[in-house]
Amino acid sequence: MENKVRKGLEGVVAAETAISYIDGEQGELIYRGHHAKELAINEGFESACHLLWYGDLPDKNKLGKIKQEFRNGRQLPDYVKKIVQLLPLETSMMSVIRTCVSAMGDKERAWPPSVTEAIHLTAVIPVMIAMRQRVLEGKDMIAPHPTLDHVANYLYMLTGNEPSKAHVKALDAYFVLTMEHGMNASTFTSRVVTSSQSDMISAVTGAIGTMKGPLHGGAPTEVTSMLESVGMKENAEKWLRQRLENGEKLMGFGHRIYKTKDPRAEALKEVTRGLTAEDTWLDLAVHVEETAIRLLEEYKPGRKLYTNVEFYAAAVLRAVSMPNSLFTPTFTAARVAGWTAHVIEQSNDNRIYRPQSLYTGDKPVS
């Protein structure tokens, strides 16, 4: 009897994991027993990384140690800096990241992969992005800040200015909420590469290549365009109502997995709500979201169309003056924490992936 083909491996369980759990019906995203929403509100990115890699939230001493390891890991080898500078200007940022990460592979990176490697990769990818962005802008590259935490340093290296606490808090929450999301395409890629006992650099390089595809790492730029078109809170209801009257979609609402409220959007909304007094763009986003939810219930009763993470991701990234071209690279900078956690988990109970295929070509004539 022939095996049934499940295109895209949809519904196929390919691994056991203790890293994260998604319940789309209940709207839950859990990292190692902790709600991602609570982590985003109450913990920082380095603390959440410690949870993914080590299995527990750090105490004060452990948190101080991992933050220092992040700072130490930010140093980019000189030859990689040269690659950042010399790649053609038309090279996409995702291709730059993929090339630079691949270039960091060497004979010293042995099996099995380690948390030390995970920290270094996670710490250095935002450095690559920020330095390349400065090159594209015709400006001098900025060295990592010696005392700023991970997300604050990323913003600092992009502009040369220490960022506001409001912007750091918002982007840090975004990093926590996008660092891990189950067996998605890029995470699966990282585990497949690792299953051959290849190194962490190779696994992350493969994951970046997968993230680069528009079906996976597509940026929420359409949400940004929508908010820019609304412009002011006073325009929101008229603009949104006109879109719905014309049968057009409101970007940033509804999700393939979550059939109720997206917990990532809920967390970003809660963080954002506390910062609206400090940022008019975030204030606009909260108002547009609340108006849209009310109008969607009016025009599409019973559909239960809620805000997805892309809505508030766009709001946060735009608020911190992130250009649209950096949306997917910044998503990548966060997700590398999840990839490396899966790489380590795969190596701890490894078996090489070897699925079957169903042959549909011609056969020899007897």
Side-chain angles (χ1 to χ4, degrees):
M1 183 177 68
E2 293 183 337
N3 292 328
K4 181 180 179 181
V5 176
R6 297 203 179 192
K7 292 186 176 181
L9 302 181
E10 187 169 357
V12 174
V13 177
E16 292 182 337
T17 183
I19 297 171
S20 70
Y21 171 72
I22 303 165
D23 186 333
E25 297 294 331
Q26 299 298 317
E28 289 187 331
L29 174 60
I30 295 169
Y31 298 165
R32 294 196 184 274
H34 297 263
H35 287 287
K37 176 181 177 179
E38 300 303 320
L39 294 172
I41 294 169
N42 300 317
E43 303 287 341
F45 182 69
E46 292 93 332
S47 181
C49 283
H50 191 284
L51 175 65
L52 291 193
W53 294 329
Y54 290 104
D56 60 357
L57 288 172
D59 58 21
K60 184 177 180 180
N61 290 335
K62 287 180 179 178
L63 182 58
K65 180 182 177 183
I66 197 169
K67 285 188 175 185
Q68 188 57 52
E69 289 173 330
F70 263 85
R71 295 186 189 109
N72 295 341
R74 290 176 188 158
Q75 301 310 313
L76 205 59
D78 288 340
Y79 73 91
V80 179
K81 290 180 187 176
K82 288 291 185 184
I83 294 173
V84 168
Q85 293 174 300
L86 295 175
L87 283 171
L89 295 180
E90 62 269 20
T91 306
S92 73
M93 186 65 79
M94 290 299 292
S95 293
V96 171
I97 302 168
R98 184 194 62 216
T99 302
C100 291
V101 168
S102 180
M104 294 180 66
D106 56 47
K107 62 183 180 182
E108 295 177 4
R109 298 186 182 275
W111 177 273
S114 67
V115 173
T116 299
E117 289 179 280
I119 293 172
H120 180 48
L121 268 176
T122 305
V124 84
I125 284 179
V127 175
M128 296 173 182
I129 298 169
M131 287 187 168
R132 176 64 176 186
Q133 185 63 22
R134 299 286 293 185
V135 170
L136 294 176
E137 293 172 358
K139 300 174 182 177
D140 292 336
M141 296 189 299
I142 297 172
H145 196 284
T147 61
L148 290 178
D149 288 345
H150 183 69
V151 170
N153 178 68
Y154 179 39
L155 290 172
Y156 164 77
M157 290 187 67
L158 285 168
T159 65
N161 301 313
E162 291 199 28
S164 70
K165 290 182 180 180
H167 285 172
V168 172
K169 177 63 178 174
L171 189 60
D172 197 88
Y174 168 79
F175 264 60
V176 171
L177 292 163
T178 55
M179 68 195 298
E180 163 62 11
H181 203 243
M183 192 65 79
N184 54 81
S186 57
T187 297
F188 181 57
T189 300
S190 72
R191 293 190 75 127
V192 171
V193 174
T194 302
S195 76
S196 70
Q197 292 196 356
S198 190
D199 56 282
M200 184 179 282
I201 289 285
S202 297
V204 171
T205 300
I208 293 168
T210 306
M211 179 72 83
K212 183 175 180 287
L215 293 185
H216 184 23
T221 52
E222 290 179 320
V223 177
T224 304
S225 298
M226 181 180 76
L227 292 173
E228 288 174 345
S229 296
V230 172
M232 297 184 296
K233 290 196 290 185
E234 293 78 10
N235 300 335
E237 179 154 355
K238 180 181 178 181
W239 193 94
L240 295 168
R241 196 177 282 279
Q242 186 174 18
R243 293 275 294 198
L244 291 170
E245 291 281 358
N246 293 337
E248 298 177 76
K249 290 178 63 177
L250 300 184
M251 305 312 297
F253 296 86
H255 193 276
R256 178 179 175 182
I257 294 176
Y258 295 106
K259 307 308 178 186
T260 181
K261 294 180 180 180
D262 183 336
R264 300 167 299 171
E266 287 289 289
L268 281 179
K269 178 180 180 178
E270 187 163 336
V271 171
T272 299
R273 188 184 291 279
L275 304 172
T276 54
E278 302 176 57
D279 194 292
T280 55
W281 175 265
L282 294 176
D283 187 38
L284 171 65
V286 170
H287 180 77
V288 168
E289 188 251 6
E290 291 176 346
T291 305
I293 291 294
R294 174 169 54 82
L295 292 178
L296 283 167
E297 183 57 32
E298 177 184 333
Y299 281 86
K300 301 176 187 289
R303 288 282 301 279
K304 296 183 178 180
L305 293 171
Y306 298 104
T307 321
N308 62 41
V309 71
E310 285 192 349
F311 181 89
Y312 276 104
V316 167
L317 293 172
R318 171 65 171 73
V320 300
S321 300
M322 196 76 66
N324 288 355
S325 60
L326 292 188
F327 280 15
T328 302
T330 301
F331 181 16
T332 301
R335 184 55 61 85
V336 66
W339 292 336
T340 51
H342 279 271
V343 165
I344 293 168
E345 185 179 64
Q346 178 69 35
S347 71
N348 289 335
D349 183 22
N350 189 52
R351 183 173 182 179
I352 191 168
Y353 281 95
R354 182 61 174 87
Q356 294 180 320
S357 59
L358 181 64
Y359 180 67
T360 60
D362 296 331
K363 293 183 180 180
V365 179
S366 299

